[in-house]
Amino acid sequence: MPSVGKTIPHDSAVGHVTGTAPYIDDLEMLRDELHVSFVGSPVACGTLDLVDSSAATEIDGVVAVFTVDDVGSHNLWGPLFRDEPFLADKRLMYVGQPVVVIAAESPKALAKARRAVEINATAEPPILEIQDAIDSKKFIGLRRQIARGDAETAIRNAAHQLSGQFQIGGQEQFYLESQAAIAYPGEENQLIIHSSTQNPTEIQAVVAEVLGLSNHQVVCICKRMGGAFGGKETQAALPALMVALVALKTGRAARVVYSKDDDMCVTGKRHEYLAIWSVGFSSEGVIEGSKFDFYSNGGAAADLSTSVMERAMLHADNGYFFPNVELNGQVCFTNLPPNTAFRGFGGPQAVAAIENVIQRIAEHLNVDAIEVRRRNLYGVEDRNVTPYGQIFTRNLLPGIFDQLEESSDYKNRRLQVTRANQIDNMVLRGLALTPVKFGIAFTSKFLNQGNALVNVYTDGTVQVSTGGTEMGQGLNTKIRQLVADELGVPYRDVIVMPTSTEKNNNTSPTAASAGTDINGAAAANACRKIRARLADYAADLFTSNEEGLVKSPEHVVFAEGIVSDSRRTDKQISFGKLVNQARRDRIDLGARGFYVTPGVDFNRNTGRGNPFLYFTQGAAVAEVAIDRFTGELTVPRVDLLIDIGKSINPGVDMGQITGGFIQGMGWVTAECLVYNEQGHLLSHSPTTYKIPATTDFPSVFNCELFENDENLHNIRRSKAVGEPPLLLGVAVWAAVKDALSFVESEVDPQLCLPATGEEILRCLTDSGKSIK
């Protein structure tokens, strides 16, 4: 039976729950392996005056202490711009910025040495807020624009106008396995690095460049990560550099594992955004002109911030057609750790911004926001071109709206919410339906490629290696299913090997929800090469002693571990016997597959083109209940409907959908990053940073897949599922905004994101106490 389309358990599920699946810190230590950590900047902004490590070097068990003087002339690195120091050199840019790397024989000696290092700095006033950066004109990269029509004129001539500012908070990735890496030195200055990273190729390149090596001297390996969510796409570079430096200088293996506190304090997060917007619309709520100025908090270096801003601008329309639109984007410099990728990569912030505008239009017209959304949805035959010029083909949003509105009993529940708010003085209720249209592909064209190595062995078993990394999302499980079906062998006879730059070179990060799309397609292409060779060989076998039967590789069938000729049921051989015999006849049983995402070409200078292969689409209905006296929020019910094409693994995909939604719900309601005036993160542990708990899970959570068998763009007609569900969490925020609209107020309290209990209570206090 085929594997694709079945719910097959995650290939590491048993290892996860039994604790036998090894992560970086589970790898057995070598006898002379060193423990590594760092000492960071005590200030967010200033000048480095003195680094005194003399006391640390005298501690028994301390082997080495390194500063920027030990790095050389290649101290700067960065995925887009080389603007981030590996170790601080004169200028200090954020609290905790690595200044000193320490290597010791034991964790005890390492901890003692960290306390013994003295760092003196002259502090300067830091820039921590977006508005301060705007006022100081401190920016990263160029201002970007995507525009169509004449937005300002359309806004001015519309029957109604609204404008405002919307503050969108950041988010901590909160992966369970902190940043970690091990470096093993080899001959001729070679290094093997085991890294908890989404991007082994970048680890290889950055380590080589900063330490003055060549790429072929560095191998990066990643077996699995204990979560990542974008936080290990680039941020894994610094810990890898630390252990690589120690291993290269000492000739000994070196290991670093950040504590949770250190990890949260010094790594980048989802970008905080400020959206300044204006919109003009008709009396029916149809948007005629819109303008958004997006500002993001990039932190102290570029990291991926300009690319995150680009994707934000590309998702500012969400599921809505804008005839006249102007989108501007600018990344701001602040004295915080460089912010980075996070599931959704700028898309969630932009979707939140437009959904805020939709709610404001509905409040202004005193209509249900679902009607405003429906009237502005992209069309199927017309009104289907995005602001950047890509035609939105296969628009399923109208059908998704109709089906979800009916299945969630939206109309009746809207009446119930309105009635309850009129008679209940204790609890305030809200209801909202929001869509998502999430583009799938890397917006940088060159990243839309992948390669895979498939080796078939003489017992009929198969090893697969790709550039994709497994962070718990089930990528390896899906690739095993795809390969098993391509070769017609049982799932159990296929295994996916640890990701290694030695086997898969020049790969893209596992990101942009494209892991299965790219790596699965590359693996399938490799399998087809092998299958073609075997089909030709089997066709010879089937016809060698058979008169009148013409050799026909096209009739050779691979299924359930048996290879047969579809014309004759008696002509068959087991896959294992076939490959064993083929090897003896010198048939190549290995292949490298390569895949290039077709049709993707976006010109970021003009803001025009086709940045995406297709769109994953969906919608969610969220109902909320708010304690009017404390601001406490609960989410009693969520109904979610999403199109992911033909699912490769429904069970794995459903886990991604529900988990992604809850992570998005956490971002829009409870996860609040708090810094003090000196740039120290105060919410740096589970006690002060509130991620969703099991008690926050909606009591009723209906999650369904929208039937769609027509995604011909992608492997096995599937669609990407990693990021889009998170954006549906915005429905919960919109429901809170809807609830607050029932409170009488002369001035909109402008609910910020996240809608924490404190933020909701502020809005209730500012609005007054009476119900409309």
Side-chain angles (χ1 to χ4, degrees), residues 376-387:
N376 285 284
L377 280 181
Y378 273 103
V380 176
E381 300 297 334
D382 59 1
R383 290 171 50 89
N384 62 347
V385 181
T386 66

Side-chain angles (χ1 to χ4, degrees), residues 39 42 185 192 266 287 363 367 459 511 516 569 628 632 667:
V39 181
I192 296 176
V266 305
I287 295 174
E363 293 168 12
V367 298
D459 63 351
T516 300
T569 57
R628 296 192 61 219
E632 182 181 3
W667 168 56

Side-chain angles (χ1 to χ4, degrees), residues 502-522:
E502 186 178 14
K503 291 174 291 184
N504 298 99
N505 62 320
N506 308 325
T507 59
S508 300
T510 303
S513 299
T516 300
D517 290 13
I518 290 175
N519 297 288

